[in-house]
């Protein structure tokens, strides 16, 4: 091989101090260091648990109305946006409880089962729109029934439902479901969004208001009577959503007054330890080691 490059003796003379093993070792260390850098950027995390932590809480199902009537702007910026702001603020104060989410319009859907992952719950709430429920209308009875099924009926307490709606109920079985919830020990707190005077409905992405068959503008009104009746029958309270933060604080205090049961963190990956620092330390050590490996042989 050396003869093909030129004079073998001259090549031997020029490369007499070159150490191929050291060069390969330096190259391998650099490649491993590069790999550690990539893994550090990925930021792997591992869950850790605090099995010794003792906490008590309740199970809360949040039923959020996403019907098109919630797009009305009698509550600024809209009924739905104000409801989402309220829910996000309420979730920040629910860290010791398990939360579930039901979205409803003409049908009710379990968007998120009971979990102690508040971050995930806030993400689902931020994405709640009328598009999440293809059938329009307002079926409070179906929403309450789904909340009832999602809660543990082995207990006659330690659970609640927070219903957020404008109350335009078109579901005759709502009264039946309210009685069922009361029998199962579920307290319902209702949050009214909008104004009793009413507001016209805009189609999403349009400046036109909805009209009825006679060509008259359709108004959607807050039905406080329906929402107050639901709350009263189950031992809860009705609150009109005026200011998101203050209303959330009031509802959080009401929920805090409910009897709590012990809850365990075991099996719940609520906290994570980042492995980023370990990969960075290995990266630095490998680079330092590479510096101290010479490319030439020791004389």
């Amino acid at each position: 091989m050396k003869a093909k490059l030129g004079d073998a003796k001259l090549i031997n003379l020029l490369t007499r101090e070159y150490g191929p093993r050291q060069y390969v070792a330096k190259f391998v260390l650099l490649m491993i260091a590069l790999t550690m850098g990539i893994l550090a950027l990925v930021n792997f995390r591992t869950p850790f648990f605090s099995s010794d932590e003792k906490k008590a809480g309740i199970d809360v199902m949040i039923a959020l109305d996403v019907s098109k009537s919630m797009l009305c702007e009698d509550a600024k910026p809209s009924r739905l946006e104000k409801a989402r702001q309220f829910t996000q603020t309420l979730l920040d104060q629910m860290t010791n409880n398990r939360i579930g989410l039901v979205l409803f319009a003409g049908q009710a859907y379990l968007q998120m089962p009971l979990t102690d992952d508040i971050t995930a719950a806030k993400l689902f709430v931020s994405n709640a729109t009328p598009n999440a429920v293809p059938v329009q209308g307002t079926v409070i009875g179906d929403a309450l029934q789904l909340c009832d099924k999602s809660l543990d009926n082995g207990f006659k307490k330690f659970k609640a439902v927070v219903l957020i709606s404008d109350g335009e109920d078109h579901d005759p079985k709502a009264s039946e479901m309210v009685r069922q919830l009361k029998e199962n020990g579920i307290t319902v707190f209702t949050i009214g969004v909008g104004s009793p005077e009413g507001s016209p409905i805009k189609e999403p992405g349009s400046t036109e208001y909805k009209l009825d068959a006679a060509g008259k503008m359709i108004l959607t009104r807050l039905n406080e009577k329906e929402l107050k009746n639901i709350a009263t029958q189950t031992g809860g309270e009705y609150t009109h959503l005026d200011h998101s933060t203050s209303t959330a604080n009031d509802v959080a205090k009401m929920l805090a007054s409910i009897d709590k049961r012990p809850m365990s963190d075991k099996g719940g990956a609520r906290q994570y330890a980042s492995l980023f620092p370990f990969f960075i330390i290995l990266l630095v050590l490998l680079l330092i080691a590479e510096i101290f490996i010479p490319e030439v042989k020791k004389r």
Side-chain angles (χ1 to χ4, degrees), residues 61-81:
M61 291 299 300
I62 296 176
L64 177 60
D65 187 348
V66 292
S67 59
K68 287 186 178 180
S69 63
M70 292 290 285
L71 297 177
C72 289
E73 298 174 354
D74 52 354
K76 300 298 181 182
S78 71
R79 294 179 182 179
L80 180 57
E81 181 57 34

Side-chain angles (χ1 to χ4, degrees), residues 76-253:
K76 300 298 181 182
S78 71
R79 294 179 182 179
L80 180 57
E81 181 57 34
K82 194 164 187 176
R84 285 194 300 227
Q85 292 172 0
F86 158 79
T87 307
Q88 298 274 17
T89 306
L90 178 64
L91 287 171
D92 287 332
Q93 305 182 53
M94 302 293 289
T95 52
N96 287 333
N97 306 298
R98 293 197 305 170
I99 308 296
L101 177 64
V102 168
L103 301 182
F104 70 97
Q107 290 180 338
Y109 291 91
L110 179 62
Q111 193 73 7
M112 186 186 73
L114 287 170
T115 178
D116 57 4
D117 192 341
I118 301 298
T119 302
K122 294 179 72 173
L123 179 62
F124 279 114
V125 170
S126 64
N127 293 325
T129 67
N131 295 329
V133 182
V135 180
Q136 283 303 304
T138 305
V139 285
I140 291 178
D142 283 359
L144 294 177
Q145 182 179 37
L146 189 52
C147 289
D148 180 51
K149 291 180 178 179
S150 302
L151 292 166
D152 184 0
N153 287 326
F155 298 99
K156 292 297 182 181
K157 51 183 179 177
F158 315 127
K159 49 195 175 181
V161 171
V162 177
L163 174 67
I164 310 162
S165 175
D166 54 22
E168 284 204 325
D169 184 16
H170 307 297
D171 185 5
K173 72 175 183 181
S175 298
E176 177 187 343
M177 284 313 307
V178 169
R179 289 192 295 270
Q180 182 70 42
L181 291 170
K182 183 179 180 181
E183 290 176 7
N184 290 332
I186 301 172
T187 306
V188 182
F189 297 92
T190 54
I191 313 298
V193 193
S195 64
E197 295 76 21
S199 175
I201 305 173
K202 275 185 181 179
E203 286 289 349
S206 172
T207 57
E208 300 293 329
Y209 292 103
K210 293 187 70 173
L211 306 176
D212 60 16
K216 294 182 179 180
M217 188 178 295
I218 299 175
L219 294 181
T220 171
R221 296 177 173 84
L222 169 63
N223 186 354
E224 289 189 307
K225 181 180 179 181
E226 173 78 8
L227 296 175
K228 287 179 179 178
N229 183 52
I230 293 172
T232 302
Q233 289 190 53
T234 60
E237 290 188 38
Y238 166 78
T239 306
H240 183 260
L241 180 52
D242 294 314
H243 188 272
S244 300
T245 302
S246 60
T247 305
N249 292 338
D250 292 340
V251 175
K253 290 177 182 177

Side-chain angles (χ1 to χ4, degrees), residues 5-22:
L5 297 174
D7 184 72
K9 291 183 178 180
L10 178 60
I11 293 174
N12 286 332
L13 180 64
L14 294 173
T15 61
R16 67 183 184 276
E17 295 184 352
Y18 171 69
R21 291 183 179 178
Q22 290 95 314

